Amino acid sequence: MVKNARVGQPNYFASGSINRSGNLRRDPGWLADRLANPRTRILPLHGSEVALVGGDLVWLEIGDLPAGQALGHDEEGVVFLGVDGKGGAVFGIDLSAPELVELDLPLPGDSSRTDLRGAAMLLAPDAGNHVAYLSAMLTWHRRHRWCGVCGRPTTPSWGGHLRTCSACGAEHFPRTDPVIIVLVTAGESCLLGRQPIWPARMWSALAGFVEPGESLEDAVAREVGEEVGVAVQEVVYHSSQPWPFPMSLMLGFHASAGPEPVNITVDRSELDDARWFARDGMAEAVADGSVMLPPPFSIARQLVDSWLTV
């Protein structure tokens, strides 16, 4: 069984220091009280862009809001994230929400907005978890303003963790999309693919969405079969990673294609190319730039690195 190379450490974007405190989401009085507390912390995002000063997240407090401005716990663009290690409530807000665009937040003059992928190269793991959590929640809100049952408007409650239809009363909870990602190996080689939109020389593990009525193991076998025409066995779970691009959960696996590399049939509608890489040559190819792997914060990179270090 292949073990996670990062023993004792979650993947980037995973567990952070915020206690989600699901029971407190349903207490409007408690939420209102915390949003009236000047020391309550706020994490601002603008869509999927993060406000940074240097490589650090910009945090604000309720007391930073100009006089006369306030936030509501059931307001569009406001999400209760949970309670921090000191017992303080933490909220996130979407500055791109139409209801909040006129909010006059005093962001530091030397702050800059950075897309989430770029920010992930800079932020410490705990901060990465916070922005991934908030970004996925805000994406869900933007996509569910209308009821999937009857098509009428929905309104947020539970500190942004529930949307209710104004007409039929249907309740809608946050969703995440399960995606398998798998490093297929055969003897001393691994199988990597690439998509045409990726930078030149970038290769990665194979991935695909889990379909309804499908187990994770079946999804691994199906995706590998569809994309490269290879049959796999010995599917072994590695780890998982929240992936806020926009709101997925990556479920990582290793799988074997047998003792030796087999022929590949690439589905060009899925991949630009795929090929086997020998373990001995992989490190050299990465070092000289002839092969680019995904960034270190990605589970795809963790799958490859854990195989290389076995």
Side-chain angles (χ1 to χ4, degrees), residues 276-301:
W276 292 101
F277 290 82
R279 189 198 304 267
D280 290 345
M282 174 73 77
E284 291 182 12
V286 172
D288 66 24
S290 57
V291 169
M292 289 177 57
L293 294 177
F297 66 79
S298 68
I299 189 174
R301 180 62 172 270

Side-chain angles (χ1 to χ4, degrees), residues 25-26 31 73-74 78-81 91 137 141 156-162:
R25 300 169 187 167
R26 302 187 291 274
L31 293 171
H73 59 82
D74 56 357
V78 177
V79 175
F80 169 60
L81 298 178
F91 289 80
M137 288 293 296
H141 278 285
S157 59
W158 285 18
H161 290 261
L162 171 69

Side-chain angles (χ1 to χ4, degrees), residues 19 24-25 35 76 92 95-98 101 155 162 201 204 211 250 264 272 285 298 307:
N19 181 335
L24 297 176
R25 300 169 187 167
L35 283 173
E76 292 285 0
L95 297 179
S96 69
V101 292
T155 56
L162 171 69
R201 305 185 305 281
S204 185
E211 296 186 352
M250 306 298 291
I264 298 170
D272 183 49
S298 68
W307 174 73

Side-chain angles (χ1 to χ4, degrees), residues 193-200 202-205 207 227 270-273:
R194 58 169 281 105
Q195 297 184 4
I197 62 172
W198 289 353
M202 176 169 278
W203 298 81
S204 185
E227 294 189 355
E270 294 276 354
L271 298 173
D272 183 49
D273 198 5

Side-chain angles (χ1 to χ4, degrees), residues 10-11 13-20 83 125-130 133 242:
N11 286 311
F13 290 134
S15 303
S17 60
I18 292 178
N19 181 335
R20 298 189 178 216
V83 175
D126 193 52
N129 167 260
H130 300 342
Y133 175 17

